[in-house]
C-alpha cells in the first residue's frame, strides 16, 4: 500500500487553484509528487502558485538541479470555469500535456449574498450557478472517459451552506446543495466504472472568500472572529485543514469511500 501522501505519477487538476483552498491543495499535491494542473482567472496569482508548486515538488527540485523538464512544473491554465469553452480547453490541455487525468478537484467557487427582492436576482443566479455548478457538471462530463481509464476520483468542494439554510444566501446555498446531490448521484453512476466521487463541506475557512464576495478585509476578519467564537474548536479553518481532507479522499487509503460528505466546520455553531 503506497503512503497516503504519495501521489507520484498521478495527474491532478484543481480548479480555483490561483488562491485559497485550491492553491494550498495544489502545493500539497505537488509536495506529494503529483503532477498538478492549476487554473484560475488571475494569471499573476496562478504563476505565484505555480512557482510554489515547483519549489515544493520533489521532482521539481530535481528538475531544477538536473534538467528543465516542463512536465515537472505545474501546468498553468488561465481559464474562467463559468465559460464552457474554457472548461473544454482545461481538460484538453491536461490530456494533451500528460495523456491522462487521475484526480479532479472541483473547487472553484464564490459566495453571493442577495435578497430575493433584489432587481438583478436572475443575473446573480446565472452567475453563481455557472461557476459553482454548471462548471462542475461540465468538467465532470468531460473527465469521465479519462478517469475511467485511470480508475481515478473526483472531489467536490461544497460548503456547510449546502447543508443548512443561511438567511440572504439562498443562491449560494442552492448551488452547494445541488453540488452535494450531484456528488451522491454521480457516485452511484460512476462507481461501476471504478470512479469515486466525494464532497467536502467546509465551514468558515480563512481565504479570500469574503473579499471575493464584496466584503472589506476588516468586515471579513470580524466575521471570522465571530464565527471562531461560536465553534466548539474556537477557531476558523485554514486552507490546509481542507487540503488534508482532499488528499485523504484522493488517496488509495480511501479506496472504499464514495458518495460521502465530509463536514469540516470546527464542530459547527
Ligand atoms: P478564494 O476566493 O480564496 O478562492 C477561490 C478560487 O476560485 C480562486 O482561485 C479563484 O481564482 C477561483 N475562481 C472563482 N471564480 C472562478 C471562475 N469563474 N473561473 C475560474 N476560477 C474561479 O475562496 P476559497 O478558497 O475559500 O474557495 C474555494 C471553495 O471553497 C469555493 O468553492 C467555496 O465556495 C468553498 N468554500 C469556502 C469557504 C470559506 O469559508 N472560505 C467555506 C465553504 C466552502 P481567480 O480569482 O483567479 O479566478
Amino acid at each position: 500500500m503506497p503512503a497516503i501522501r504519495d501521489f507520484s505519477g498521478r495527474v491532478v487538476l484543481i480548479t480555483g487553484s490561483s488562491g485559497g483552498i485550491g492553491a494550498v491543495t495544489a502545493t500539497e499535491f505537488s509536495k506529494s509528487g503529483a503532477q498538478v494542473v492549476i487554473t484560475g482567472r488571475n494569471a499573476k496569482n496562478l504563476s505565484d502558485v505555480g512557482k510554489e508548486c515547483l519549489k515544493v515538488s520533489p521532482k521539481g527540485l530535481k528538475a531544477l538541479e538536473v534538467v528543465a523538464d516542463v512536465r515537472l512544473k505545474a501546468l498553468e491554465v488561465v481559464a474562467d470555469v463559468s465559460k464552457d469553452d474554457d472548461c473544454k480547453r482545461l481538460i484538453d490541455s491536461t490530456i494533451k500535456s500528460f495523456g491522462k487525468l487521475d484526480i479532479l478537484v472541483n473547487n472553484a467557487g464564490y459566495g453571493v449574498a442577495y435578497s430575493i427582492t433584489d432587481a438583478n436576482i436572475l443575473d446573480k443566479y446565472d452567475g453563481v450557478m455557472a461557476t459553482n455548478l454548471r462548471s462542475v457538471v461540465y468538467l465532470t462530463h468531460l473527465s469521465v472517459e479519462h478517469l475511467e481509464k485511470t480508475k481515478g476520483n473526483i472531489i467536490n468542494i461544497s460548503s456547510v451552506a449546502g447543508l443548512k439554510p443561511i438567511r440572504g444566501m439562498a443562491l449560494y446555498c442552492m448551488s452547494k446543495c445541488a453540488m452535494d446531490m450531484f456528488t451522491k448521484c454521480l457516485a452511484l453512476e460512476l462507481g461501476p466504472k471504478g470512479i469515486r466521487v466525494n464532497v467536502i463541506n467546509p465551514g468558515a475557512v480563512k481565504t479570500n472568500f469574503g473579499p471575493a464576495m464584496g466584503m472589506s478585509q476588516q468586515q471579513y476578519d470580524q466575521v471570522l472572529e465571530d464565527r471562531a467564537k461560536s465553534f466548539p474548536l474556537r477557531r476558523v479553518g485554514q486552507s490546509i485543514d481542507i487540503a488534508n481532507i482532499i488528499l485523504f479522499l484522493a488517496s488509495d487509503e480511501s479506496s472504499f469511500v464514495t458518495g460521502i460528505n465530509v463536514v469540516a466546520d470546527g464542530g459547527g455553531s
Side-chain angles (χ1 to χ4, degrees):
M1 178 74 77
I4 189 166
R5 289 266 168 139
D6 183 5
F7 287 94
S8 305
R10 306 275 178 98
V11 177
V12 186
L13 167 56
I14 307 126
T15 67
S17 38
S18 53
I21 293 168
V24 172
T25 301
T27 51
E28 289 303 304
F29 270 118
S30 294
K31 226 183 261 178
S32 313
Q35 170 62 64
V36 296
V37 180
I38 57 175
T39 182
R41 294 162 301 180
N42 186 313
K44 164 75 175 69
N45 291 349
L46 205 54
S47 164
D48 290 344
V49 176
K51 285 186 191 119
E52 186 60 24
C53 289
L54 181 62
K55 198 164 82 185
V56 299
S57 162
K59 287 181 178 177
L61 287 175
K62 199 171 155 207
L64 279 178
E65 288 161 14
V66 185
V67 58
D69 180 348
V70 290
R71 289 180 56 120
L72 302 174
K73 292 182 189 166
L75 173 64
E76 296 163 27
V77 184
V78 177
D80 179 341
V81 294
S82 70
K83 298 183 174 148
D84 295 351
D85 288 350
D86 282 20
C87 290
K88 177 88 171 62
R89 186 164 51 78
L90 191 48
I91 300 299
D92 287 349
S93 322
T94 302
I95 300 304
K96 192 171 167 219
S97 301
F98 309 116
K100 66 167 186 163
L101 175 66
D102 294 281
I103 297 154
L104 170 65
V105 183
N106 285 308
N107 166 73
Y110 69 97
V112 275
Y114 272 86
S115 165
I116 191 64
T117 58
D118 286 343
N120 56 354
I121 192 78
L122 289 181
D123 292 339
K124 296 297 163 192
Y125 173 90
D126 287 343
V128 75
M129 290 299 170
T131 297
N132 291 13
L133 197 59
R134 183 183 171 93
S135 74
V136 175
V137 173
Y138 192 40
L139 286 168
T140 303
H141 166 78
L142 294 169
S143 297
V144 165
E145 64 174 298
H146 306 293
L147 293 172
E148 187 172 9
K149 287 179 195 153
T150 55
K151 303 297 169 210
N153 65 78
I154 301 171
I155 294 132
N156 293 325
I157 307 306
S158 175
S159 167
V160 289
L163 302 171
K164 63 181 180 193
I166 303 173
R167 191 170 49 189
M169 292 193 75
L171 301 180
Y172 181 65
C173 292
M174 286 162 65
S175 73
K176 294 303 190 180
C177 186
M179 181 189 236
D180 290 356
M181 186 52 77
F182 178 69
T183 304
K184 287 174 183 295
C185 292
L186 264 282
L188 298 179
E189 184 178 339
L190 300 182
K193 294 182 189 290
I195 303 170
R196 297 186 297 111
V197 195
N198 291 296
V199 60
I200 301 172
N201 301 77
V205 179
K206 189 172 168 44
T207 62
N208 195 48
F209 185 82
M213 59 182 285
M215 287 183 200
S216 70
Q217 192 61 50
Q218 200 185 359
Q219 282 172 324
Y220 184 49
D221 290 345
Q222 188 60 54
V223 167
L224 291 177
E225 200 181 308
D226 293 345
R227 299 302 290 154
K229 283 183 201 148
S230 73
F231 291 160
L233 291 182
R234 296 289 185 267
R235 71 171 179 92
V236 294
Q238 300 295 327
S239 294
I240 187 68
D241 294 315
I242 309 306
N244 282 333
I245 303 166
I246 294 172
L247 266 75
F248 170 68
L249 289 174
S251 77
D252 294 340
E253 266 74 6
S254 61
S255 64
F256 200 47
V257 178
T258 195
I260 65 154
N261 295 75
V262 176
V263 179
D265 65 351
S269 54

